[in-house]
Amino acid sequence: MYLNDFSLTFTLVFIIGWYALQSIAYYKFFEKAEKPGWIGFVPFYNYYVHLELVGRPKWWVFLLFVPVVNFFIALTIHLDLLKSFGKYSYFDQSVGVILAPFYMTYVAWSDTKYLGKATELPKRKRTFSQEWFEAIVFAVFAATFIRWIFMEAYVIPTPSMERSLLVGDFLFVSKINYGPRTPKTPIQIPLTHAKIWGTEIPSYIDWIELPQFRLPSLGKVERNDVVVFNYPVNDNYNQRPDGDYHPLDLKTHYIKRCVAVPGDVLEVREGAVYINGAKGEDPELMQHRYFIETDQVIRDRVFSDYKIWEYGPAMRPNGSKGYIALTTAEMAKKLAALDFVKSAEPMFMDADKPEPRIFPDARYFPWNADNFGPLEIPGRGFTIQVDEYSLAKYGSTIQDYEGLEDVKIDVDKLTINGQEVSEYTFTKDYYFMMGDNRHNSEDSRYWGFVPEDYVVGEASFIWMSMDEKGSFLNKIRWSRLFNPID
């Protein structure tokens, strides 16, 4: 079960339901504070009175309508209101956040009294150990909440996105751009992902799994977005020590560029991406494999000066010597201009040489990474007529990601829950992801589409970059700090 798009009807019902519960709680809170209860149902004015009851500045009411800032203001005055009615404990505060506005309604109508403005109430006396314990609990809770709703930090471990992103880049990934997902596996050690730090021991209990929803977002995945997602394939990257696989929300994180969205017809011709017949937009720092022809030894320093980190000596079948290097077209052109370099030419696979591992099935579609497609990207409402070729193209996606319990594919037959069907309509959106380092990237060309519910967030900016080959302060790539990701 997965909800991606909040329809207008659902959104209105959600907002009205939330506001109704909040107003019912306000009605009782205000009465207990000797204010007219009906104010609780008056938009904006009820927030003004709320601020008055907890002792916060009245002008904060304007901050409630400033994006991002409003979340922290609302959280602060929400917890203040609980304190004003005697709910100080971290249990009350935590439940008040997680189950709001249900818990607020319960507190308002239970046997509680208004104690005064939260900002003026005497602070509870705590021992030194209590203060530290509560501070740690609150810090972990806040970090977990922010990590889930807003931002999460990631590090680039492989060169599949070079040179756009380098190994050792530390990123912040925005969850609100595409909408944060509710946790599917709720019982988990805080601030971990799949494993306990430094071990292979799962950090979660999988016997409780919840339906997954996606909260409202600022936008949708678009072409050329750099996206973090859960690697969808059940292989050794997602396998646990017991042989089973991690649940969806705890699968290994991957980062790639979205090159095609639902409804697009994707094709790759000699390494160039075409969308719906037109050449797509190339990433500024996209890399390919080049043969650098030279009869001289090129020092490591030269490659480093041209920002080339993946290279090695090679010889072509015709006997010409040189190096194979992964680099951008601009750097290849600069290398070709050197006195001791004869040429620098891209190396693309011939269209008539299929790769056995290519998606979706090389037996039916003899493609390779440089000559791929055309392939239409499925999305919600996309219907296929069931035959041998459509199942070879989309059958694995239906079987693995559509959330169906009993799917069987037999060459040209599709059986769902024991019933053979002649056509199938997709219920999810899918995306096609590729690495910017096109000849050193395991991506959708090999393992297929990324379902919408596997999308984690959009890479926003680099907050730190470390070069493991550097020494002392040179380990930090200072020029990359706080760079936005395009």
Side-chain angles (χ1 to χ4, degrees):
M1 184 177 184
Y2 179 72
L3 183 62
N4 176 287
D5 281 332
F6 280 68
S7 66
L8 178 60
T9 301
F10 183 91
T11 302
L12 288 175
V13 170
F14 179 83
I15 292 173
I16 292 171
W18 182 287
Y19 190 80
L21 275 176
Q22 175 185 266
S23 299
I24 290 170
Y26 273 158
Y27 179 87
K28 203 63 179 177
F29 278 136
F30 292 173
E31 273 197 341
K32 290 181 178 181
E34 299 182 352
K35 300 284 185 181
W38 57 264
I39 295 176
F41 294 91
V42 180
F44 310 124
Y45 188 33
N46 51 12
Y47 296 141
Y48 182 87
V49 174
H50 181 152
L51 289 165
E52 182 182 349
L53 293 186
V54 299
R56 296 294 181 178
K58 309 295 192 308
W59 57 268
W60 276 22
V61 72
F62 297 106
L63 297 180
L64 291 170
F65 302 95
V66 178
V68 181
V69 173
N70 56 3
F71 172 81
F72 294 100
I73 294 296
L75 181 62
T76 299
I77 65 174
H78 176 78
L79 297 178
D80 282 344
L81 193 60
L82 286 175
K83 292 176 183 177
S84 290
F85 284 84
K87 297 299 181 181
Y88 282 94
S89 73
Y90 274 92
F91 173 81
D92 290 313
Q93 302 274 294
S94 300
V95 175
V97 170
I98 296 170
L99 298 181
F102 301 101
Y103 190 66
M104 298 297 287
T105 305
Y106 164 76
V107 171
W109 289 82
S110 63
D111 186 21
T112 55
K113 294 181 180 180
Y114 177 62
L115 304 179
K117 297 178 180 180
T119 55
E120 298 176 0
L121 292 174
K123 294 184 178 180
R124 290 186 303 154
K125 291 184 178 181
R126 302 180 181 90
T127 64
F128 180 78
S129 58
Q130 284 178 323
E131 287 185 350
W132 271 102
F133 175 76
E134 292 183 356
I136 292 171
V137 169
F138 181 78
V140 170
F141 175 80
T144 301
F145 195 77
I146 291 171
R147 184 175 179 242
W148 168 50
I149 292 287
F150 291 106
M151 287 269 188
E152 188 169 355
Y154 295 88
V155 62
I156 301 297
T158 68
S160 69
M161 285 294 290
E162 288 187 346
R163 283 178 41 222
S164 303
L165 296 172
L166 305 181
V167 174
D169 280 349
F170 291 78
L171 320 175
F172 272 128
V173 174
S174 169
K175 301 288 186 73
I176 60 175
N177 284 28
Y178 305 141
R181 301 176 299 179
T182 58
K184 187 177 182 67
T185 314
I187 302 180
Q188 180 186 357
I189 296 175
L191 306 180
T192 62
H193 182 80
K195 304 173 185 177
I196 296 174
W197 311 283
T199 74
E200 294 297 317
I201 302 172
S203 62
Y204 58 90
I205 296 174
D206 62 355
W207 49 268
I208 294 181
E209 289 194 2
L210 302 177
Q212 189 171 51
F213 298 89
R214 190 179 293 277
L215 302 183
S217 64
L218 297 179
K220 290 185 176 182
V221 179
E222 297 179 355
R223 288 189 214 104
N224 295 310
D225 284 358
V226 178
V227 181
V228 171
F229 55 92
N230 296 111
Y231 176 51
V233 182
N234 278 339
D235 60 12
N236 59 305
Y237 288 107
N238 283 323
Q239 194 166 32
R240 304 187 316 202
D242 63 2
D244 205 348
Y245 297 96
H246 296 302
L248 185 162
D249 57 334
L250 296 177
K251 290 181 182 292
T252 298
H253 287 130
Y254 262 40
I255 183 167
K256 306 287 180 186
R257 190 178 298 275
C258 176
V259 296
V261 298
D264 284 346
V265 177
L266 169 83
E267 191 173 2
V268 182
R269 307 173 196 165
E270 287 196 336
V273 172
Y274 287 78
I275 302 296
N276 303 323
K279 191 176 184 303
E281 181 182 344
D282 290 334
E284 182 182 359
L285 297 174
M286 178 179 65
Q287 295 195 147
H288 284 111
R289 184 185 297 114
Y290 284 82
F291 183 77
I292 314 300
E293 186 177 355
T294 179
D295 55 9
Q296 296 187 30
V297 174
I298 301 180
R299 304 276 182 194
D300 293 343
R301 178 184 56 78
V302 175
F303 284 112
S304 180
D305 288 344
Y306 285 89
K307 296 181 171 59
I308 297 173
W309 294 282
E310 297 174 274
Y311 57 89
M315 178 183 293
R316 279 184 162 175
N318 63 8
S320 58
K321 297 179 180 180
Y323 292 81
I324 289 178
L326 294 171
T327 187
T328 64
E330 179 186 1
M331 289 302 174
K333 186 177 180 180
K334 290 181 178 180
L335 278 172
L338 296 175
D339 294 339
F340 54 86
V341 173
K342 297 179 180 179
S343 65
E345 299 176 356
M347 302 176 65
F348 297 118
M349 288 177 276
D350 294 334
D352 60 355
K353 293 184 178 180
E355 291 186 83
R357 294 177 51 244
I358 207 71
F359 177 83
D361 190 330
R363 295 171 298 176
Y364 292 85
F365 308 100
W367 303 335
N368 58 47
D370 292 328
N371 297 278
F372 185 97
L375 176 66
E376 184 168 358
I377 313 304
R380 274 174 294 160
F382 175 66
T383 300
I384 62 167
Q385 301 302 313
V386 173
D387 58 37
E388 185 175 352
Y389 280 86
S390 66
L391 289 179
K393 189 177 289 186
Y394 298 110
S396 61
T397 303
I398 296 170
Q399 192 167 42
D400 296 336
Y401 306 128
E402 280 287 281
L404 303 169
E405 292 185 2
D406 183 16
V407 179
K408 294 180 181 177
I409 296 174
D410 183 12
V411 187
D412 60 350
K413 294 181 181 179
L414 175 63
T415 304
I416 300 174
N417 296 328
Q419 182 177 357
E420 186 177 336
V421 298
S422 60
E423 64 177 28
Y424 181 79
T425 301
F426 284 84
T427 61
K428 295 181 183 180
D429 283 336
Y430 293 84
Y431 303 94
F432 200 92
M433 307 289 185
M434 290 175 64
D436 288 358
N437 194 359
R438 295 290 164 82
H439 282 139
N440 189 12
S441 174
E442 283 281 329
D443 51 40
S444 289
R445 291 171 292 179
Y446 295 101
W447 40 254
F449 309 113
V450 173
E452 60 183 1
D453 46 339
Y454 282 67
V455 172
V456 175
E458 182 178 10
S460 296
F461 66 91
I462 300 166
W463 63 272
M464 175 58 73
S465 185
M466 303 290 289
D467 182 1
E468 63 178 12
K469 296 179 181 178
S471 59
F472 195 49
L473 291 181
N474 289 329
K475 278 187 173 293
I476 300 177
R477 303 184 184 107
W478 298 98
S479 62
R480 297 186 65 78
L481 268 57
F482 303 106
N483 282 356
I485 297 170
D486 299 318

